[in-house]
């Protein structure tokens, strides 16, 4: 069974985000970019499933400009077998990504499509759900545990929901999106980084996949959140209660 993993290239989580001066978006020039942390978890899970005998091949896919190839190389160094880069403009809405993923699924026929639950740049949390809808596949979102049964061709997925854990049984093929506690992604070792250089990355266009990219949404403007005021040290509980009552008006 092939396992496909969607990997997004985003501004590194440790970078302090700056908004462009024309408020058209977030500054990405000369900014460190990395694999979306939830996509690292998705890839780690695919690799673990393959290592425990449930997968024949792990295919990493990414959509975006040519620099996505660097992120895919990281995925190959972590252990993916091959990669597909679909060359698109830098900003894509989740529906466009989902349509491309659907076309890639039809091309490769994986038994499992694993995505991050959310990209930390747009915080959409939509792509996994949309692609599952487009494919008419069952979905296990926010997975914190995944167990596959090869014989019965089902995946049992624990999901973190308000108030506890929900356990779902999904018929394969299925879509899974990964939550933070699913696993601890591995680092790419130097020998694996060297090996990854000879692993194949196929380049495709949306046209080759018969996907028309259409944006039905426009970003009006991006602004920074208001600056937080500095904190103050109070001398007594009475002073705190007074401030909560008379300044913050919360009690
Ligand atoms: P989102 O719905 O934008 O929060 O993204 C959720 C997940 O969809 C990400 O963690 C990725 O697994 C996948 N995804 C979104 N955009 C892309 C992209 N441009 N290339 C590859 N995967 C993507």
């Amino acid at each position: 069974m092939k396992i496909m993993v969607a990997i997004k290239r985003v501004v590194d989580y440790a970078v302090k985000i700056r908004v462009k001066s024309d408020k058209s978006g977030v500054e990405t020039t000369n900014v460190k970019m990395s694999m979306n942390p939830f996509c690292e978890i998705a890839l780690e899970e695919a690799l673990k499933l393959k290592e425990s005998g449930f997968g024949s091949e792990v295919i990493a896919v990414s959509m975006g400009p040519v620099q996505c190839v660097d992120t895919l190389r990281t995925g190959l160094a972590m252990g993916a077998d091959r990669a597909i880069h679909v060359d698109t403009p830098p900003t894509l809405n989740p529906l466009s990504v989902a349509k491309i993923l659907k076309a890639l699924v039809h091309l490769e026929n994986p038994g499992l499509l694993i995505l991050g639950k959310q990209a930390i740049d747009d915080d959409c949390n939509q792509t996994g759900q949309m692609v599952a809808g487009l494919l008419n596949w069952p979905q296990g979102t926010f997975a914190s545990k995944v167990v596959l049964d090869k014989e019965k061709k089902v995946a049992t997925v624990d999901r973190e929901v308000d108030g506890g854990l929900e356990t779902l049984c999904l018929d394969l093929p299925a879509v899974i999106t990964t939550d933070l506690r699913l696993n601890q992604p591995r680092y790419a070792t130097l020998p694996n980084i060297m090996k990854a250089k000879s692993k194949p990355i196929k380049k495709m266009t949306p046209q080759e996949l018969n996907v028309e990219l259409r944006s039905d949404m426009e970003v009006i403007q991006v602004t920074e959140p208001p600056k937080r005021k500095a904190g103050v040290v109070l001398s007594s509980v009475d002073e705190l209660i007074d401030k909560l009552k008379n300044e913050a008006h919360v009690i």
Side-chain angles (χ1 to χ4, degrees):
M1 180 180 83
K2 293 184 194 171
I3 304 176
M4 185 176 278
V5 185
I7 285 176
K8 189 173 186 187
R9 179 176 177 268
V10 296
V11 174
D12 188 89
Y13 72 94
V15 167
K16 187 169 176 340
I17 300 293
R18 277 179 300 118
V19 170
K20 285 184 187 166
S21 52
D22 63 1
K23 297 189 175 172
S24 62
V26 163
E27 192 59 76
T28 51
T29 322
N30 297 326
V31 169
K32 184 178 177 210
M33 307 291 282
S34 303
M35 191 185 297
N36 180 45
F38 292 105
C39 301
E40 285 184 339
I41 297 171
L43 179 55
E44 175 63 35
E45 197 60 21
L47 296 172
K48 278 169 73 176
L49 289 170
K50 183 187 162 191
E51 284 158 4
S52 44
F54 292 110
S56 55
E57 195 181 29
V58 173
I59 310 164
V61 302
S62 191
M63 293 108 232
V66 65
Q67 294 86 341
C68 288
V69 168
D70 298 340
T71 316
L72 287 171
R73 279 274 170 238
T74 308
L76 293 171
M78 279 172 73
D81 297 287
R82 61 188 169 94
I84 303 176
H85 168 225
V86 183
D87 199 359
T88 69
T91 42
L92 278 182
N93 58 26
L95 184 57
S96 300
V97 178
K99 285 180 179 169
I100 294 175
L101 285 172
K102 178 187 173 190
L104 289 172
V105 162
H106 285 156
L107 192 72
E108 294 287 347
N109 287 316
L112 204 54
L113 172 62
I114 313 185
L115 303 90
K117 74 164 179 183
Q118 165 181 351
I120 61 164
D121 53 357
D122 58 23
D123 276 339
C124 280
N125 182 347
Q126 294 172 4
T127 311
Q129 294 86 332
M130 284 181 175
V131 70
L134 292 175
L135 288 165
N136 205 16
W137 282 10
Q139 57 181 294
T141 51
F142 314 120
S144 59
K145 187 174 171 196
V146 176
V147 178
L148 289 191
D149 187 324
K150 230 182 191 174
E151 306 298 307
K152 294 187 189 150
K153 291 207 168 98
V154 294
T156 307
V157 175
D158 283 356
R159 326 177 46 230
E160 294 185 2
V161 292
D162 276 357
L165 278 185
E166 181 182 62
T167 303
L168 297 178
C169 190
L170 313 173
D171 287 336
L172 296 179
V175 173
I176 290 176
T177 74
T178 56
D179 215 327
L180 209 56
R181 277 167 287 275
L182 180 60
N183 60 45
Q184 183 66 48
R186 67 195 67 188
Y187 289 105
T189 59
L190 191 58
N192 286 345
I193 293 173
M194 302 311 287
K195 260 193 236 158
K197 292 189 179 175
S198 57
K199 289 186 181 174
I201 300 183
K202 183 174 174 183
K203 186 172 169 178
M204 301 196 78
T205 60
Q207 292 74 27
E208 282 171 294
L209 293 163
N210 280 325
V211 177
E212 192 197 339
L213 300 181
R214 211 161 35 88
S215 183
D216 38 19
M217 249 180 354
E218 188 194 348
V219 176
I220 313 278
Q221 76 170 23
V222 176
T223 49
E224 290 198 13
K227 293 250 178 312
R228 289 178 69 177
K229 285 196 208 141
V232 284
V233 178
L234 303 178
S235 53
S236 68
V237 174
D238 288 345
E239 201 184 339
L240 172 65
I241 292 172
D242 178 63
K243 284 200 180 285
L244 291 174
K245 239 188 213 161
N246 303 317
E247 281 184 26
H249 303 291
V250 289
I251 56 171

